[in-house]
Amino acid sequence: QVQLVESGGGLVQTGGSLRLSCAASGFAFSLSNMNWIRQAPGERIEWVSTIDKDTGATHYGASVKGRFTISRDDARKIVNLEMHNLKPEDSGMYYCTKDGLIATRGLGTQVTVLGRGQGTQVTVSS
C-alpha cells in the first residue's frame, strides 16, 4: 500500500532554512505527481508545492514561491522540499502526498519558525 514517510523538520529562527524529505514506497513513484502540503494548528490544510511526473515541472503556492524548492529522485523514490528564508507563518506540520490525495499523507514532520527576538532562557547552575 501507499506509504509516505516525511522527515527533516525542526526548530529554526526566522530567516533560517530546512530541507524536508519524503520517502515513498508501495506504489509507482515515477508515475505519480508528488505534493507537499502543510497545516498549522487550528488552520486549514494549505497546498505548498507540486512536482509533476514525467516533466518534473514544479508549482508553488504564492506564499512560498521564490523561497521553497521541490525536487524528486525517482530512482530513490524521494521527494524533497528545500525551504529558505523561513517565516513564523511557515510553521506547521508538513506532509507529502501522492497525486494530491490528502488521504495518502504520512505522519508528517513539524516545522517551527521562531519570530525575531524569540528564544528560550536556559539557566545552568551547579
Side-chain angles (χ1 to χ4, degrees):
Q1 76 251 22
V2 174
Q3 185 172 15
L4 298 170
V5 180
E6 302 91 344
S7 62
L11 180 69
V12 296
Q13 295 284 345
T14 294
S17 299
L18 284 172
R19 183 173 187 261
L20 307 185
S21 292
C22 172
S25 62
F27 64 97
F29 181 82
S30 64
L31 301 181
S32 303
N33 295 327
M34 297 301 296
N35 322 97
W36 283 96
I37 59 174
R38 67 186 182 187
Q39 188 171 28
E43 301 291 331
R44 296 184 306 172
I45 289 174
E46 178 186 4
W47 168 72
V48 175
S49 183
T50 295
I51 185 165
D52 293 346
K53 61 185 178 182
D54 298 331
T55 65
T58 58
H59 314 277
Y60 300 94
S63 63
V64 306
K65 196 169 187 178
R67 300 187 297 121
F68 290 13
T69 302
I70 190 172
S71 62
R72 64 188 296 159
D73 184 334
D74 285 351
R76 297 174 62 201
K77 299 183 180 181
I78 291 175
V79 57
N80 296 311
L81 187 69
E82 295 272 357
M83 308 187 296
H84 298 287
N85 192 20
L86 284 162
K87 306 174 182 180
E89 52 264 42
D90 293 318
S91 297
M93 191 68 79
Y94 282 68
Y95 306 91
C96 64
T97 67
K98 169 188 177 296
D99 294 321
L101 299 173
I102 294 176
T104 63
R105 65 182 173 176
L107 295 178
T109 186
Q110 177 69 41
V111 171
T112 303
V113 185
L114 298 177
R116 295 194 189 280
Q118 283 183 277
T120 299
Q121 178 66 45
V122 176
T123 302
V124 179
S125 61
S126 59

